[in-house]
């Protein structure tokens, strides 16, 4: 509970974001601090609802001071360097000429980096989350493996550290505010961990608790990561890593402010209060601070667990079509979006036939000017107007007008391809099972990374991460969605 560029890689991502951040732990440990246990029956139900084997969460202390975090990054760099040196000596002694890239991304170093990032949480995992969206043909295979692994592998706080945080935020008697509080988290992610609990008034809730020190270490952590990734020379220049990190810096600071997330939750609660399909958790303000967020526990099942033979095609289509509808409404109608595309943020409640929405930490607003131009761009794509798409791409900042014709053509080709799901007659659904959009866009990646002259507008880093996640969600569900009708009803905008 709690994720680039239009016409480049956004819709080609082989998204690795799975359900780990809401997978319950496989066992329950009683607390030595006297906090009431979560009932065994509740845990059993959680496990029965989970079709995949739960990931066993691991506990480790969160390095909370800047000095301690700098020490951990330094020890990681030293460990990787020593391993590279040892491997190089060994390979040279055998008459081989190993490359620096192969040495730094050896199996041993991949494990070392993954373990350390999982212990550090915060910026390290956020970068892994954001960059794991890149296509595995674009990044070095080993680096893609690291990024895919770390964003699902956070450790959780030991009890003494958890108790210290809760006392600071909710008072020395924080335990008395709950009928029970499960000390073993349901999930552990980049910013904090999530606990199930029950209020003394009887409501089932979840409590997000932020890791200590994460907020204060964002800038230093990201500077260290940017330096390490740049020095490694493992990434193509077209990724504009500095812009990705700048975007991560902003989003991390947003996500570290749980009062901001609480307001976003309340805004979405108002936006969808009359919607027949969507529902969001209710915030308990008296148990919410900058570092602790308490909200209603949703009862649905992560939608990716419905991607099986036991779920009807009709239900998959219903879920996918409504999530696509919501995505278009967030852009065109709300002008406010929950930008995290993690599929675990969508639950389906069979009893209520509702889709439950989670994790609003990265929610953001978009300006009227940006939304207007963006809607026109996709409208040109749907109408196959190449000149209009090229002109609007310059107005939005995807192109600066100085690119080669090959670059312009490749960019416009990709924009036109992205419009295909929303083209056609409004009564005919788009079949995501047979779509080839991702494969055709992929063919332009190399040229655009080599010749792109400017980064895309900052709004689209988060917007396209969400848009592409929804696109791939529909493909994973094997859904047929009335995209053309949704686009005409919600998104279409001409001059």
């Amino acid at each position: 509970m709690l994720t680039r560029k239009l016409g480049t890689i956004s819709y080609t991502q082989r998204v690795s974001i799975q359900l780990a951040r809401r997978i319950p732990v496989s066992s329950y440990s009683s607390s030595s601090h006297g906090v009431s246990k979560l009932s065994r029956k509740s845990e059993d139900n959680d496990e029965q609802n989970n079709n995949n084997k739960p990931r066993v969460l691991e506990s480790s202390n969160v390095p909370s001071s800047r000095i301690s975090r700098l020490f951990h990054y330094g020890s990681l760099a030293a460990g990787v360097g020593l391993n590279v040196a040892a491997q190089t000596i060994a390979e040279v002694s055998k008459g081989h000429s190993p490359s620096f890239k192969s040495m730094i991304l050896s199996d041993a170093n991949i494990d070392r980096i993954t373990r350390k990032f999982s212990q550090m949480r915060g910026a390290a995992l956020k970068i892994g989350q954001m960059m794991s969206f890149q296509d595995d043909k674009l990044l070095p295979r080993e680096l893609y493996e690291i990024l895919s692994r770390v964003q699902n592998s956070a450790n959780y706080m030991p009890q003494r550290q958890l108790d210290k945080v809760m006392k600071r935020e909710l008072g020395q008697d924080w335990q008395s505010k709950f009928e029970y509080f499960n000390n073993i988290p349901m999930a552990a992610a980049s910013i904090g961990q999530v606990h199930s609990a029950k209020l003394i008034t009887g409501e089932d809730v979840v409590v997000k608790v932020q890791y200590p020190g994460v907020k204060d270490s964002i800038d230093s952590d990201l500077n260290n990561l940017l330096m390490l990734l740049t020095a490694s020379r493992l990434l193509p220049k077209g990724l504009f890593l500095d812009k990705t990190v700048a975007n991560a810096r902003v989003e991390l600071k947003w996500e570290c402010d749980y009062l901001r997330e609480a307001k976003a939750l309340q805004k979405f609660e108002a936006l969808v209060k009359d919607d027949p399909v969507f529902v969001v958790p209710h915030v308990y303000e008296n148990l919410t601070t900058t570092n602790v967020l308490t909200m209603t526990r949703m009862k649905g099942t992560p939608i990716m667990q419905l991607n099986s033979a036991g779920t009807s095609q009709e239900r998959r289509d219903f879920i996918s079509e409504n999530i696509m509808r919501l995505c278009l409404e967030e852009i065109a109608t709300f002008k406010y979006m929950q930008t995290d595309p993690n599929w675990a943020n969508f639950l389906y409640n069979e009893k209520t036939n509702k889709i439950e929405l989670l994790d609003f930490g990265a929610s953001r607003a978009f300006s009227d000017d940006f939304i207007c131009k963006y809607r026109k761009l996709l409208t040109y794509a749907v109408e196959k107007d190449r000149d209009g798409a090229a002109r609007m791409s310059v107005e939005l900042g995807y192109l600066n007008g100085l690119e080669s014709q090959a670059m312009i053509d490749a960019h416009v080709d990709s924009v036109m391809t992205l419009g295909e799901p929303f083209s056609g007659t409004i009564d005919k659904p788009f079949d995501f099972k047979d779509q080839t959009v991702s494969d055709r866009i992929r063919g332009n990646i190399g040229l655009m990374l080599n010749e792109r002259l400017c980064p895309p507008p900052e709004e689209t880093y988060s917007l396209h991460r969400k848009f592409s996640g929804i696109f791939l969600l529909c493909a994973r569900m094997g859904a047929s969605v009335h995209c053309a009708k949704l686009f005409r009803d919600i998104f279409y905008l001409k001059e």
Side-chain angles (χ1 to χ4, degrees):
M1 177 175 179
L2 296 135
T3 87
R4 290 271 217 291
K5 305 175 183 180
L6 183 66
T8 55
I9 56 180
S10 292
Y11 284 65
T12 70
Q13 302 157 338
R14 295 183 178 182
V15 178
S16 64
I17 47 177
Q18 300 300 321
L19 304 173
R21 286 188 284 175
R22 282 194 54 83
I23 293 179
V25 294
S26 59
S27 62
Y28 172 72
S29 300
S30 61
S31 168
S32 61
H33 290 259
V35 183
S36 300
K37 299 180 181 180
L38 179 68
S39 70
R40 179 71 253 178
K41 180 178 179 181
S42 177
E43 290 293 333
D44 288 341
N45 288 340
D46 279 344
E47 291 183 8
Q48 290 170 6
N49 287 336
N50 185 0
N51 296 328
N52 302 312
K53 183 178 179 180
R55 178 175 68 84
V56 179
L57 300 178
E58 298 179 11
S59 174
S60 69
N61 210 55
V62 182
S64 56
S65 71
R66 293 186 183 183
I67 293 177
S68 66
R69 294 182 74 82
L70 180 61
F71 170 80
H72 278 277
Y73 280 114
S75 66
L76 172 62
V80 170
L82 288 173
N83 182 267
V84 168
Q87 289 182 88
T88 301
I89 293 172
E91 290 298 311
V92 169
S93 68
K94 298 175 184 177
H96 301 156
S97 299
S99 69
F100 173 74
K101 183 183 294 187
S102 65
M103 292 296 97
I104 201 171
L105 292 178
S106 65
D107 290 342
N109 277 338
I110 288 176
D111 288 338
R112 178 178 284 106
I113 294 169
T114 300
R115 287 196 306 271
K116 182 61 70 176
F117 280 14
S118 298
Q119 182 184 5
M120 296 291 285
R121 291 81 146 184
L125 289 188
K126 184 65 177 180
I127 289 292
Q129 175 186 332
M130 295 181 74
M131 294 191 63
S132 65
F133 281 83
Q134 310 303 325
D135 196 294
D136 61 359
K137 292 185 177 1
L138 173 65
L139 300 176
R141 178 187 61 80
E142 298 87 353
L143 183 57
Y144 183 81
E145 181 180 345
I146 292 173
L147 297 174
S148 298
R149 285 168 58 181
V150 299
Q151 60 94 22
N152 278 334
S153 62
N155 296 163
Y156 67 91
M157 288 182 281
Q159 180 59 41
R160 64 183 180 279
Q161 198 169 37
L162 170 65
D163 195 49
K164 183 178 180 180
V165 173
M166 294 299 286
K167 286 180 178 178
R168 185 187 69 216
E169 297 299 318
L170 298 183
Q172 291 291 320
D173 63 341
W174 71 269
Q175 298 169 351
S176 67
K177 303 178 189 299
F178 300 93
E179 181 177 324
Y180 67 69
F181 182 98
N182 191 352
N183 291 298
I184 303 299
M186 301 166 60
S190 59
I191 304 300
Q193 57 195 45
V194 183
H195 296 261
S196 59
K198 191 181 190 71
L199 301 183
I200 56 176
T201 50
E203 296 95 334
D204 290 326
V205 297
V206 292
V207 183
K208 282 177 65 171
V209 184
Q210 188 172 142
Y211 302 129
V214 167
K215 184 187 308 179
D216 294 332
S217 65
I218 290 173
D219 289 327
S220 59
D221 276 9
L222 286 176
N223 290 339
N224 290 330
L225 286 167
L226 180 58
M227 179 180 66
L228 290 170
L229 289 172
T230 301
S232 70
R233 302 187 303 276
L234 295 173
L235 301 174
K237 65 178 182 179
L239 284 180
F240 290 100
L241 181 60
D242 58 331
K243 298 298 183 182
T244 300
V245 170
N247 180 248
R249 195 184 306 272
V250 171
E251 288 194 10
L252 271 167
K253 291 181 179 180
W254 286 349
E255 292 182 32
C256 285
D257 185 350
Y258 284 179
L259 290 177
R260 181 185 185 279
E261 180 173 356
K263 290 179 180 177
L265 262 167
Q266 292 168 332
K267 182 176 181 67
F268 263 91
E269 187 176 25
L271 287 170
V272 302
K273 68 181 179 64
D274 296 323
D275 194 284
V277 175
F278 294 104
V279 63
V280 302
H282 176 72
V283 174
Y284 292 86
E285 295 185 14
N286 62 320
L287 294 173
T288 295
T289 71
T290 301
N291 299 298
V292 171
L293 174 57
T294 304
M295 68 200 101
T296 309
R297 181 174 182 177
M298 298 287 96
K299 305 295 186 179
T301 300
I303 60 171
M304 280 301 111
Q305 294 183 22
L306 303 175
N307 186 25
S308 65
T311 302
S312 69
Q313 188 63 53
E314 181 181 9
R315 178 164 293 171
R316 294 187 211 178
D317 292 347
F318 168 81
I319 293 170
S320 300
E321 181 150 329
N322 277 285
I323 290 176
M324 180 67 77
R325 169 177 66 84
L326 178 64
C327 184
L328 295 176
E329 287 180 334
E330 286 177 298
I331 301 170
T333 307
F334 302 163
K335 299 176 185 176
Y336 190 82
M337 174 176 275
Q338 186 276 72
T339 63
D340 186 350
N342 191 336
W343 297 335
N345 292 337
F346 301 97
L347 310 181
Y348 176 69
N349 190 320
E350 186 173 3
K351 292 182 179 179
T352 63
N353 198 32
K354 295 267 191 178
I355 298 173
E356 301 166 344
L357 307 174
L358 308 176
D359 195 355
F360 292 81
S363 300
R364 62 162 298 166
F366 297 100
S367 70
D368 290 345
D369 181 66
F370 173 80
I371 291 298
C372 179
K373 291 176 180 176
Y374 186 76
R375 290 175 65 185
K376 288 179 180 178
L377 175 68
L378 292 192
T379 298
Y380 284 131
V382 167
E383 297 192 338
K384 300 179 172 50
D385 184 342
R386 296 181 63 87
D387 291 339
R391 184 174 67 255
M392 195 55 60
S393 293
V394 172
E395 288 193 35
L396 276 166
Y398 294 113
L399 303 173
N400 64 12
L402 301 177
E403 291 84 359
S404 68
Q405 190 59 47
M407 169 61 196
I408 295 172
D409 289 342
H411 171 81
V412 173
D413 285 346
S414 295
V415 173
M416 305 305 287
T417 303
L418 294 179
E420 289 183 13
F422 305 105
S423 303
T425 58
I426 62 174
D427 59 341
K428 183 178 180 181
F430 182 80
D431 188 349
F432 281 91
K433 293 191 296 292
D434 299 325
Q435 64 87 21
T436 61
V437 171
S438 299
D439 290 337
R440 283 180 285 140
I441 294 176
R442 186 178 294 118
N444 289 327
I445 289 177
L447 185 149
M448 288 190 288
L449 283 178
N450 289 331
E451 299 200 22
R452 180 170 287 281
L453 299 180
C454 59
E458 64 86 16
E459 294 95 336
T460 55
Y461 282 93
S462 53
L463 187 152
H464 287 152
R465 193 166 69 247
K466 173 67 175 284
F467 220 152
S468 59
I470 302 305
F471 188 90
L472 292 177
L473 181 154
C474 293
R476 180 65 66 88
M477 296 288 280
S480 292
V481 176
H482 290 85
C483 292
K485 185 178 189 307
L486 291 175
F487 191 89
R488 287 283 173 176
D489 290 346
I490 300 169
F491 212 90
Y492 183 92
L493 182 65
K494 287 299 291 288
E495 296 287 355

